[in-house]
Amino acid sequence: MAFGDYQLELYLGALSGTLPPHPFDHAELEANALAALPPELRTYVAGGSGTEGTQRANVSAFERWALVPRMLNAHAERDLSIELFGKALTSPLLMAPVGVVGLCTPDQHGDIHAAEVSAATGVPLIGSTLMSDPLEDVVVATGDTPAWFQLYTPKNRELAASLVSRAEAAGYDAIVITLDTWVPGWRPRDLASGNFPQLRGKALANYTSDPVFQEMTGPDPDPSTVVFTWAGTFGNPLTWDDLPWLRSLTSLPILLKGICHPDDARRAIDEGVDGIYCSNHGGRQADGGGAALDWLPGVVDAVDGRAPVVFDSGVRTGADVVKAIALGATAVAVGRPYVYGLALGGVPGGVHVIRSLQAEADLIMGVDGYPTLSDLTRDALVDQHRRSS
């Protein structure tokens, strides 16, 4: 079945009197999901850094690009499949790491439910270090779908090694090292509400279940000891000198997340990194940095086919997925939309969001005459800003 056939399921359901229970428009999805979340999570999930200009730019940057329709190239079946690190995937979509997804379902097991969405859709989950359930429990719920583990590298090297070794032993397929969050960004919404979930002891299950962290806190620690121990080790300001050590921690593929400059991408590949993850953390970390999509082509050119390039930041629609692929991304990760789907409708809500993205991307490729991902090149896009000027 083609991804686009999801719309047939919805239309046929309507004929029997069942209308879709979840929104399709992102603005409606966001508004409804935020209304369903407790107040302390609304600012954390929806907010960005500074004026939130970077966050807005991430979304609006996709409007700059137009996919040029090509006719008389209709194909009843499209091929959206890719291969990443030896694993075959039916679409180029990934679920980006979101550190508070565990808190976004009423039962506080959102990480496991995100994994269940992954299992149901075949879209890999990138599980965050900041989970509400231990990483071992989360990866089990992904079933046969590949999963990656995202590392916020702690200052304590033994703890970092322990987290990575646990992820490898549990069956994760790659390690994503986030570079741009060794210190929290300036987030006025969170500052105004005094909201920082981890300082309230939330989403720390990977730490409290870790033997090295347990040695750091001592036996039967009280909640404040856990929080202050975590705060004291979170956030290692990594440099290029740390790459050999990070590489030594695992035989799994390593991707560096937060790469936006071509020189950084080129050097990372030269020094043995297996993949580049172009992202500005969805605009949550540093304002004034422009849209991540604007940096993607330069990063892709610098990598020059030597490694996969994953992209996230501002992805809201299937059209966004198509455009990011055409600009050179190997795979495209979505963050807030699937979190909103989970918050609003649990696993079915998350599945609906993922299937909608896949369906729209598939149908755009079909209607516009691009039957495979390899047909989506930069020549398929027109820069409307440049054209208008």
Side-chain angles (χ1 to χ4, degrees), residues 282-370:
R284 284 185 52 74
Q285 274 298 93
D287 204 11
L293 190 71
D294 291 341
W295 314 136
L296 175 61
V299 167
V300 169
D301 290 344
V303 171
D304 195 25
R306 294 183 291 163
V309 176
V310 175
F311 172 82
D312 80 17
S313 296
V315 178
R316 299 291 182 265
T317 67
D320 295 343
V321 174
V322 168
K323 292 175 184 181
I325 293 294
L327 289 173
T330 310
V332 181
V334 60
R336 288 182 178 95
Y338 86 80
V339 176
Y340 292 148
L342 279 170
L344 188 58
V347 172
V351 169
H352 166 75
V353 167
I354 295 297
R355 292 194 68 190
S356 295
L357 289 167
Q358 292 174 317
E360 186 182 17
D362 179 35
L363 291 169
I364 287 171
M365 291 172 63
V367 170
D368 283 351
Y370 297 91

Side-chain angles (χ1 to χ4, degrees), residues 249-260:
L249 296 180
T250 181
S251 60
L252 293 176
I254 287 179
L255 299 91
L256 297 185
K257 182 174 183 287
I259 298 289
C260 291

Side-chain angles (χ1 to χ4, degrees), residues 162-237:
S162 181
L163 289 167
V164 171
S165 65
R166 285 173 59 196
E168 186 166 4
Y172 288 85
D173 297 282
I175 303 296
V176 176
I177 298 171
T178 294
L179 303 175
D180 60 7
T181 314
W182 59 271
V183 63
W186 183 255
R187 302 171 186 169
R189 287 206 223 184
D190 290 334
L191 290 166
S193 62
N195 183 44
F196 199 125
Q198 290 75 33
L199 293 182
R200 300 177 186 272
K202 304 292 187 180
L204 299 180
N206 281 330
Y207 296 90
T208 56
S209 62
D210 192 273
V212 174
F213 190 81
Q214 291 167 0
E215 290 180 5
M216 295 168 66
T217 60
D220 300 318
D222 58 56
S224 62
T225 298
V226 170
V227 167
F228 283 114
T229 303
W230 171 80
T233 193
F234 183 83
N236 189 335

Side-chain angles (χ1 to χ4, degrees), residues 7-22:
Q7 69 173 347
L8 300 180
E9 292 181 35
L10 297 169
Y11 284 130
L12 291 173
L15 289 176
S16 62
T18 303
L19 292 177
H22 310 297

Side-chain angles (χ1 to χ4, degrees), residues 2-4 77-83 89-93 321-322 325 330 357-363 365-366 370-373 376:
F3 292 121
E77 296 181 2
R78 279 78 60 192
D79 183 5
L80 278 69
S81 65
I82 64 170
E83 182 177 300
L89 304 176
T90 56
S91 82
L93 206 61
V321 174
V322 168
I325 293 294
T330 310
L357 289 167
Q358 292 174 317
E360 186 182 17
D362 179 35
L363 291 169
M365 291 172 63
Y370 297 91
T372 71
L373 296 182
L376 291 170

Side-chain angles (χ1 to χ4, degrees), residues 93-185:
L93 206 61
L94 305 174
M95 296 167 66
V98 178
V100 295
V101 68
L103 307 176
C104 290
T105 57
D107 63 1
Q108 305 283 284
H109 293 293
D111 294 290
I112 288 177
H113 297 317
E116 292 168 343
V117 172
S118 173
T121 60
V123 172
L125 172 69
I126 308 174
S128 173
T129 303
L130 298 171
M131 289 178 176
S132 295
D133 286 285
L135 62 90
E136 291 86 355
D137 296 346
V138 172
V139 76
V140 167
T142 62
D144 295 329
T145 303
W148 298 355
F149 179 72
Q150 174 269 336
L151 179 70
Y152 287 123
T153 310
K155 297 182 181 75
N156 185 304
R157 285 194 167 197
E158 290 184 9
L159 178 57
S162 181
L163 289 167
V164 171
S165 65
R166 285 173 59 196
E168 186 166 4
Y172 288 85
D173 297 282
I175 303 296
V176 176
I177 298 171
T178 294
L179 303 175
D180 60 7
T181 314
W182 59 271
V183 63

